[in-house]
Amino acid sequence: MVQLSNRLWKTKPLDCWQKVKELRLNHYKEVATAKQDGKLLVSGSATWGMTVPAGLGDHVFLSGEPYGASIGFDPQFAQECAEASEAHGLARDLCAYMRNYWGSMYLDKYLWGGPFPKPDFYLTYHMCDSHAKWYQIASEHTGAPLFAIDWPVGAYGENREARIKYVAEQTWDAIEWMEKVTGRTYDDEKFIEAIHNECEGIQYFSEALAMNVAVPAPLDQKSQLTLYTPAVLCKQTKEARDFYKLLRDEVKDRVDNQIAALATERFRIWHDNIPPWFFLRLFHNMEQFGAACVGSFYLLIFAQFNLAEDGKQWVPARTPKQLGIDLKDRESAVNFYSRWVIDNPGMDMFHLAQTKIDHLINLIHQFHCGAMVMHLNRGCEGHAQYQLEFRLGVQKAGIPVLTYEGNMADKREFDESQTIDRLEAFMESLGLQKLAM
């Protein structure tokens, strides 16, 4: 068990905090006004779909998952959306993000005011069972055309070249399809610029997350859940790239000067699965015991890491420029970007249980955590897959695990009092006591 000293660390708010809040709000405003501003509006999964359309010129991307999460942060509207989806015959045990997105669409009600924005087309990556139907149903409702890039089955490094080729061939098809449905000519230089923006910005973000191995941790989990939003909304833009450089530099300064996210940090927690967005005070409850939640597998998916040669340490992926790769034309750009998409161990949660168990144990050790708190999340089939096996595997490695039940974006399936009681009992079992605040 990792027990830290009882010293009081220096702390201060993040200087770039307001900037990320502005980026997020401005993005959702751009979604609402995209068409009147002469921009294409595209919608799809918050993975890699927002970068490929860059070759068409100005576009704004409505990412389904973060939009569903934002709705989840507003429990009243989330319930309206869930009920609207259920009224259309859609099952309650489907992805909560998806049901919130559909409900907002069916209600024709946008979270930030006005009607639900109708995209010009949908472009998505199908990397879980929900995505296979999410935008098909949206396309049928709005009449906007859909193109889906199928995610190739396989863990990190497994059948790598065949999987890269599979994604690359579909990306070529997607580009030709987008030209046909929009009537625009695809500009390879704009696509290449967007790839560089994404790779550089996401590397800065990954470096910032990786620096959370420091003691004390410069970032807390609750803040990271806001800081990751440009990575899932607009990572292909210069604005996102510049923000993440600002964040990386600030986090480095905090590490160099031992500036903590939690002044009373004396124990470190790893979190597994998507948190309940309407109950992020869960992390504050941990902090009352001097426990800093320093990371989660969920966030690493939207950064970009590779495994080091030992197969254990997670290290930020390198950009094309760092690798000496010249993206000089469409072929080189598509080939590199397909590699970038595939080379992400964060996607291993969709494969064999033991693979993710190994990742969890390695990450818990890498970030100097003494325990894991796991959300048994009924709102996401992909993240919930094998979870009790993950729990057993981590426990067998001698790491204490707390589970709590709920749903990331549907408050009807969450018991706040029970969760707090379980969390506080778990903290006490670790030898931690609630601190005088």
Side-chain angles (χ1 to χ4, degrees), residues 279 281 414-424:
F279 195 68
R281 58 171 278 213
F414 188 76
D415 188 324
E416 291 185 11
S417 298
Q418 182 187 81
T419 300
I420 292 172
D421 289 346
R422 287 177 62 82
L423 180 64
E424 293 190 350

Side-chain angles (χ1 to χ4, degrees), residues 157-173:
E158 184 179 278
N159 298 323
R160 181 173 179 264
E161 294 305 318
R163 293 164 63 225
I164 290 168
K165 181 180 179 183
Y166 184 59
V167 171
E169 289 173 347
Q170 293 179 83
T171 304
W172 277 98
D173 291 343

Side-chain angles (χ1 to χ4, degrees), residues 40-44 49 52-53 56 61 119-125 135-136 139 142-149 169-186 330:
L40 286 171
L41 179 60
V42 189
S43 188
V52 178
L56 298 173
F61 195 87
D120 291 287
F121 64 87
Y122 299 92
L123 179 69
T124 190
Y125 282 73
Y135 301 100
Q136 178 186 338
S139 175
T142 64
L146 162 68
F147 192 98
I149 295 175
E169 289 173 347
Q170 293 179 83
T171 304
W172 277 98
D173 291 343
I175 290 171
E176 292 175 5
W177 177 86
M178 288 188 297
E179 287 184 315
K180 182 178 179 181
V181 299
T182 64
R184 295 191 180 190
T185 300
Y186 196 82
R330 184 178 303 184

Side-chain angles (χ1 to χ4, degrees), residues 16-185:
C16 65
W17 185 251
Q18 189 57 38
K19 179 65 176 177
V20 72
K21 302 282 279 188
E22 290 172 1
L23 266 175
R24 176 177 176 270
L25 182 58
N26 289 341
H27 175 80
Y28 280 117
K29 287 180 177 177
E30 287 178 12
V31 168
T33 63
K35 293 194 175 180
Q36 68 189 55
D37 294 338
K39 299 177 182 179
L40 286 171
L41 179 60
V42 189
S43 188
S45 171
T47 47
W48 299 277
M50 68 274 289
T51 299
V52 178
L56 298 173
D58 284 344
H59 77 287
V60 185
F61 195 87
L62 175 59
S63 302
E65 296 92 336
Y67 182 64
S70 295
I71 293 174
F73 193 72
D74 182 341
Q76 182 176 341
F77 186 47
Q79 183 164 337
E80 291 177 29
C81 291
E83 290 173 351
S85 292
E86 290 158 18
H88 281 75
L90 300 165
R92 183 168 172 168
D93 62 354
L94 294 173
C95 169
Y97 287 164
M98 182 168 66
R99 290 186 291 122
N100 281 351
Y101 182 102
W102 284 340
S104 178
M105 176 185 72
Y106 287 135
L107 293 168
D108 196 23
K109 185 177 178 181
Y110 188 48
L111 178 61
W112 283 273
F116 182 82
K118 178 186 172 183
D120 291 287
F121 64 87
Y122 299 92
L123 179 69
T124 190
Y125 282 73
H126 284 173
M127 83 278 192
C128 82
D129 55 348
S130 292
H131 293 121
K133 288 294 179 182
W134 185 328
Y135 301 100
Q136 178 186 338
I137 287 179
S139 175
E140 290 170 354
H141 181 77
T142 64
L146 162 68
F147 192 98
I149 295 175
D150 184 44
W151 180 263
V153 175
Y156 178 77
E158 184 179 278
N159 298 323
R160 181 173 179 264
E161 294 305 318
R163 293 164 63 225
I164 290 168
K165 181 180 179 183
Y166 184 59
V167 171
E169 289 173 347
Q170 293 179 83
T171 304
W172 277 98
D173 291 343
I175 290 171
E176 292 175 5
W177 177 86
M178 288 188 297
E179 287 184 315
K180 182 178 179 181
V181 299
T182 64
R184 295 191 180 190
T185 300

